[in-house]
Amino acid sequence: MGMTLEEIAKAVGGEAAGDKDLVITGINSLSDAGPSEISFFSDRRYQDNLRTTRAGALLISQKTDGFKGPQIIVPHVELAYARAAALLAPPASRHAGISPEAVVHEKSLIGKDVSIYPLAYVAEGAEIGDGTTLFPGVFVGEGAKIGKKCLIYPNVAILDRCIIGNNVIIHSGAVVGGDGFGFVRDGAASIKIPQIGIVQIDDDVEIGVNNCIDRAALGRTWIQRGTKTDNLVHIAHNVVVGEDTIIVAQTGISGSCHIGREVIIGGQVGISDHVKVEDRAMIGPQSGIAKAVGRGEVVSGSPAIPHRLWLKVSALLPRLPDFSQRMRQLEGRIEALEKCAPAAGAPGSGHEAGKE
Amino acid sequence: MGMTLEEIAKAVGGEAAGDKDLVITGINSLSDAGPSEISFFSDRRYQDNLRTTRAGALLISQKTDGFKGPQIIVPHVELAYARAAALLAPPASRHAGISPEAVVHEKSLIGKDVSIYPLAYVAEGAEIGDGTTLFPGVFVGEGAKIGKKCLIYPNVAILDRCIIGNNVIIHSGAVVGGDGFGFVRDGAASIKIPQIGIVQIDDDVEIGVNNCIDRAALGRTWIQRGTKTDNLVHIAHNVVVGEDTIIVAQTGISGSCHIGREVIIGGQVGISDHVKVEDRAMIGPQSGIAKAVGRGEVVSGSPAIPHRLWLKVSALLPRLPDFSQRMRQLEGRIEALEKCAPAAGAPGSGHEAGKE
Amino acid sequence: MGMTLEEIAKAVGGEAAGDKDLVITGINSLSDAGPSEISFFSDRRYQDNLRTTRAGALLISQKTDGFKGPQIIVPHVELAYARAAALLAPPASRHAGISPEAVVHEKSLIGKDVSIYPLAYVAEGAEIGDGTTLFPGVFVGEGAKIGKKCLIYPNVAILDRCIIGNNVIIHSGAVVGGDGFGFVRDGAASIKIPQIGIVQIDDDVEIGVNNCIDRAALGRTWIQRGTKTDNLVHIAHNVVVGEDTIIVAQTGISGSCHIGREVIIGGQVGISDHVKVEDRAMIGPQSGIAKAVGRGEVVSGSPAIPHRLWLKVSALLPRLPDFSQRMRQLEGRIEALEKCAPAAGAPGSGHEAGKE
């Protein structure tokens, strides 16, 4: 199995230069690719690898003499790589049809060409759209709805009444629709506020491994089209995340936050409850966000400040011991000067005014 | 199905004003409630919604003219909301009895009215108390004991010999009784210290999604009555958490810590091993706790300091570049002064004394 | 069941002093051990417990009069404790053979003495080595290979083609081989870069509860021999972790990082992508690592700085309000002096030079 260089060039929107009939069976990095594999070059740090690679062909933005084999010239190498990899990836495993060893409630609604592995569970009233795959250990709760062509990996739980769109990927161990963390104090005791809302996840979203997307107290927690979350992300009840947003690993978003579209949130970020982060904002890793972040703002730190200021502050922090010492020296020098200038220490002088 | 306003008022300990026979079928926010739903008002930020809401009735602390429909006057709105929601929530799904598609060891002890879904596993010697529900994918290890009326959500693992009290809720993907992280170095190699203790979780505890509560090296890791943990919380071996404590998402508590009762720990907090946090302490989000926190203390930051001091420090941090510049200016100004006051620079003066 | 003191002494490489025929049935802490249990003493903080313990025997580095019973003198108490605990631990539970309630593909390769619990799943082409145990809810994907004597705890997912060595322990809920987080922007949309590499985990590795070890984009993510990870650790695509490294809970390592051998990484650390951490480096908890850490370096903080400097900076941070006030005082005092020394304020003086 494989594709000719010509076929790949066409599929990725590029132009083949060299042996167009060369059969390519896989894609790999410059250092690891073999003669039947295609590789790609976009990062100048790897320029030396161009000469030494054993790759059979190359995706590149401009024809190079550094590589002797055939090349596909593309306007956007990374994008062409993503597309070529999709064509050349080993076929994804898929169970043929609905396994008799799965537990699928007779009152559920299963679409066409659905793959349900053994040991998956589909509850009463659940709906699974055409072409969707449920791996072993997947739980789909009562009345939950999953759209078309979704991939739901092993041991994912999608709890009662949650709604998943089309082309959604949910990675292993993620939990969609666990209870939001809502309690009201009655004396010392914490009385549970029933979490009776849902989670809605729109088309083309990808949810990372072991994520926790909590159901709303009332209404819905809502992840909008095209958003991608990395591993171990926590999204609390009633959060809304806009379209095409990126959330890196181990970030936590507290209840009722409103995150805009095309926002980029770094890893291990924490966002306090009810905070609004507007479209296209960027939040640096490990930041702590306690108040609104404006449209297109770039912030870092905990508590977060503008990223450029944070860079300066971070560079100065290690100099605190030096500052402390210089401060003491200044105080000594000033004291010496004051002794020589008796008038300066008089009542009403700047020295006194400085005390507060 | 529904309840009259009168019935709800009685159940939440309030007084109905208006049409007491109005039938209420659900509860919702002011903005989303419909005419057969009750809503609630306690946060002044939503005052405008009082006039525009389509809710059929209202829970409120003082009768208002802003809302035209019937009202239930209650001393504590949030608490009344929690209670009303519990009455009006959609019924929780529950499998009738013990599924033949579950795997329940013949030498386990199953109470009355237990619900065990298909694909749950109960090992030899395990005990499941009356009225408890085990969802699909739940693992209950050898000799583990679960009390009465517990809800154990999909894909939870409760490992060998761990003990769970009554009315405990454990959310999906949580693991109770994984090995503590204990190794001793033998040269470069890490030799495993067998973790032969257990986890004990007392009554009324709620454990969040994908939590990790490790078993003790020896003895027990112990979560006491009424404590609630949010998602992705890590509790290491031999930790004790007192009653009615709140632990927000993504917090990690290292080995042998002793956390008091009614403590509130913010999200993404890290606590070093063997640290004691006393009753009613409060720890701000993203804090790093390396030493004891006293009774009722409020701390923040990493390393943590008193919260009020942390607020001041946080506010000053962004001014470090300004401080740095002013420091240089001061040094310049002082140098100029010293040139004009030759005696000040003499040996033994304050200037020299200031160096260290 | 039990062992004589003599037998234990021999097994841990120590010398028995006192009744060598005493039968020991368990191991416990000084405070909890009973007369048929052995305890151990290495931490001087617990010296008082020596006198009060009810333990039947003691592991200790030097014979003591403080404890009246028989003792085993060992060169390294912690190591002897680990070894004794391994001998005296309650036997690990194990399903006899391959359960007919497991789902094992006929085209998988299962070694000798393999234990596969009910509700585990082994896909086509997977290989399970001799003596390995798969608990309920375990998923082993197509072509995945697991070595000998591994323990794979409940609800672990090992996805297609991943390779696990011998004597590997993977704790509940961990996911090995989820997709790396790789996207390329095409306008606002994030186009998925297929993750077609694998995860390779070498011998003697232990992976904590709910860990996420992502498969490589191309090639492999690689955890080398003897490394141990605590709970909720995230290891991104194409990361390499060297031998005998320790990674504490909730740490996240971004894509393509190269971590050396015998490195110690504290809890809740974040490491940016493509960063190199060299052998025997140590990283303090909650650190943020954005650039290389050299061999044997000890760093802390976010962004990380040398640990000793960080200790000083941390100690000075709470004094920022004090610094701020002293700065204002200095400015006041200098202004007063300048008024008395008119020449100092003249153009070209140090005061002006200090401005920048």
Side-chain angles (χ1 to χ4, degrees), chain C residues 22-39 52-58 67:
Chain C
L22 181 71
V23 173
I24 298 295
T25 60
I27 190 161
N28 218 331
S29 62
L30 286 171
S31 54
D32 292 340
S36 73
E37 290 179 314
I38 193 166
S39 191
T52 55
T53 183
R54 294 172 56 247
L58 198 65
F67 177 76

Side-chain angles (χ1 to χ4, degrees), chain A residues 130-133 146-152 164-169:
Chain A
D130 300 349
T132 281
T133 303
I146 301 179
K148 299 177 182 176
K149 295 195 176 166
C150 293
L151 276 172
I152 314 295
I164 313 290
N166 301 319
N167 300 308
V168 170
I169 299 173

Side-chain angles (χ1 to χ4, degrees), chain C residues 256-279:
Chain C
S256 301
C257 282
H258 200 295
I259 312 296
R261 58 179 297 153
E262 293 166 58
V263 171
I264 297 177
I265 305 179
Q268 298 183 333
V269 167
I271 307 185
S272 298
D273 58 289
H274 288 86
V275 166
K276 184 162 189 170
V277 176
E278 294 191 54
D279 297 350

